[in-house]
Amino acid sequence: MDNKTIYILAIESSCDDTSAAVLCGNRTLSNIVATQKIHEEYGGVVPELASRAHQQNIVPVVHQALAKANIDKKQLSAIAFTRGPGLMGSLLVGTSFAKSLSLGLGIPLIEVNHMQAHILSHFIEEENYKKPSFPFLAMTISGGHTQIVLVKDYFDMEILGESLDDAVGEAYDKSAKILGLPYPGGPLVDKYAQLGNPRAFPFPKPKVDGLNFSFSGLKTSILYFIQRETKNNPNFIAENLNDICASIQYTIINILMDKIKKAAKQTGITQIAIGGGVSANSGIRQALKKAEEKWGWNTYIPKFEYCTDNAAMIGIVGYLKYKEMDFVDQSITAKARYVIQ
Ligand code: KG4
Ligand code: ZN
């Protein structure tokens, strides 16, 4: 099969980003993301509003993706879409759109697991980007997920650990909210953290067995700490913002690194690939770089555009499944809980 002639249109609508991409083989021709601003004023994603915004965005976003790729929909080989996991009302918009378009164009339909797509985004062809080889460990860290996965092959994955409560991005965003920072606060905590002392205020690390994570206790201890300190000094946050953020970041990065180190030790695998919005964090990037130098790990961080929710990562899975002729029919339905295997 000639890769150059395979054009996949991919659609992602699992949370609060409406995205469409066109891939030619394993290369991205376009990757359009409409981020929904409406949630900012609520300090978090409101599912009903997300679903409505997807309905408004999906047609223009798909048009833009086709136009930017300079591809007519008649040239498409197949349509790939996110089946889950995610918010049901959001998933339904992308799923029904993809089903209708595939029916209308008479081309195959490919269902994609969003978590698998985060991991397989490392296989999008990019200049100067070396892809991981199997087996490797993938750590997906975002506002919705925290997982460590053993990746034996494209479609042979085993979850080794995941968060039992909040995702790591949520821990960042909720801590930021306690500090009065706007949503999503993760990037701001990171920004201030770089100017502060990471050991200024020690926060307890949760004791969770195995390779699982827990972040809700950290959020509570930050809340109590801030309440206590601001009672004594109402200006405590303003006077110590950099140090507070640095201490939060230090704790979170330690939690992540402890688990990934444990996973590397347990499996003997030192190829570590990360993905998800929190991969942008300066602390995790530095810690991984250090691990490369200190322990000879090989670490992989995709382009930021492929770390956050996007349709190109759905498209690469679509392409890999297309080669296997792994198609679904019109009876397919969205799945809010969808575990990778
Ligand atoms: O992957 P993503 O765009 O969407 C989800 O699937 O959630 O991740 C968004 C999350 C947010 O929680 C945001 O605060 C966090 O990633 N984030 C960061 C940074 N950049 C984005 N967290 C910490 N440091 C950053 N630099
Ligand atoms: Zn995601």
Side-chain angles (χ1 to χ4, degrees):
M1 204 180 303
D2 178 4
N3 291 354
K4 288 195 180 66
T5 58
I6 299 171
Y7 292 110
I8 306 283
L9 170 68
I11 293 164
E12 153 66 31
S13 74
S14 65
C15 188
D16 61 341
D17 293 310
T18 319
S19 181
V22 177
L23 269 74
C24 175
N26 60 358
R27 285 181 185 275
T28 306
L29 299 182
S30 63
N31 186 27
I32 308 293
V33 183
T35 301
Q36 304 175 0
K37 294 276 171 221
I38 181 100
H39 308 287
E40 280 171 19
E41 56 194 275
Y42 296 91
V45 178
V46 184
E48 177 56 32
L49 297 180
S51 174
R52 272 190 245 169
H54 283 305
Q55 288 178 43
Q56 283 170 356
N57 292 343
I58 192 130
V59 172
V61 164
V62 168
H63 272 153
Q64 266 187 61
L66 288 166
K68 185 154 183 231
N70 201 17
I71 292 293
D72 187 276
K73 49 185 186 310
K74 292 195 190 78
Q75 291 173 268
L76 294 173
S77 316
I79 300 186
F81 70 97
T82 306
R83 184 182 181 199
L87 300 170
M88 191 43 113
S90 292
L91 290 166
L92 279 173
V93 178
T95 304
S96 2
F97 186 90
K99 282 167 74 171
S100 318
L101 196 56
S102 113
L103 191 66
L105 295 172
I107 55 174
L109 185 62
I110 299 167
E111 62 92 36
V112 176
N113 180 307
H114 178 93
M115 297 307 295
Q116 207 161 38
H118 268 300
I119 295 168
L120 295 178
S121 68
H122 291 273
F123 295 94
I124 298 172
E125 189 69 40
E126 281 288 319
E127 236 166 88
N128 302 324
Y129 188 73
K130 197 169 162 285
K131 304 178 181 84
S133 53
F134 301 113
F136 65 91
L137 292 174
M139 184 160 72
T140 311
I141 42 178
S142 76
H145 347 276
T146 313
Q147 271 189 346
I148 295 181
V149 178
L150 168 60
V151 188
K152 298 174 220 168
D153 206 337
Y154 294 121
F155 298 107
D156 186 3
M157 303 184 182
E158 186 187 333
I159 299 173
L160 301 181
E162 59 193 331
S163 181
L164 304 174
D165 40 57
D166 292 349
V168 58
E170 244 178 309
Y172 265 106
D173 296 339
K174 287 180 178 173
S175 307
K177 197 172 178 182
I178 296 168
L179 300 176
L181 300 173
Y183 175 85
L188 287 172
V189 173
D190 185 18
K191 185 176 141 195
Y192 298 126
Q194 292 172 57
L195 306 169
N197 171 10
R199 293 173 202 271
F201 306 109
F203 293 112
K205 275 199 293 176
K207 289 190 180 56
V208 189
D209 284 343
L211 296 173
N212 287 332
F213 300 87
S214 166
F215 289 102
S216 67
L218 176 64
K219 172 193 65 195
T220 313
S221 64
I222 293 168
L223 177 66
Y224 289 164
F225 168 76
I226 294 295
Q227 281 175 344
R228 202 172 55 234
E229 295 295 334
T230 47
K231 218 186 230 171
N232 298 333
N233 171 11
N235 294 326
F236 179 77
I237 295 178
E239 286 169 11
N240 297 280
L241 188 60
N242 295 343
D243 284 350
I244 303 169
C245 290
S247 303
I248 294 172
Q249 176 127 312
Y250 179 75
T251 312
I252 293 179
I253 300 307
N254 263 334
I255 296 172
L256 294 176
M257 287 306 292
D258 277 358
K259 293 290 177 171
I260 196 74
K261 264 190 258 174
K262 199 169 178 181
K265 202 168 169 196
Q266 203 170 296
T267 57
I269 296 170
T270 53
Q271 287 216 90
I272 316 288
I274 65 166
V278 182
S279 311
N281 185 270
S282 64
I284 191 75
R285 284 174 177 246
Q286 273 167 22
L288 289 175
K289 210 168 162 22
K290 241 194 209 158
E292 285 203 332
E293 289 158 10
K294 219 167 150 184
W295 302 308
W297 288 11
N298 289 315
T299 65
Y300 303 85
I301 311 176
K303 238 165 90 172
F304 187 62
E305 168 184 5
Y306 301 140
C307 282
T308 53
D309 285 352
N310 71 91
M313 70 181 194
I314 306 304
I316 188 70
V317 183
Y319 166 68
L320 294 166
K321 286 195 169 186
Y322 186 90
K323 289 201 298 180
E324 305 284 319
M325 300 282 204
D326 187 355
F327 306 138
V328 290
D329 64 30
Q330 290 285 323
S331 64
I332 194 88
T333 51
K335 250 177 137 170
R337 275 189 56 78
Y338 190 7
V339 180
I340 49 176
Q341 284 154 350

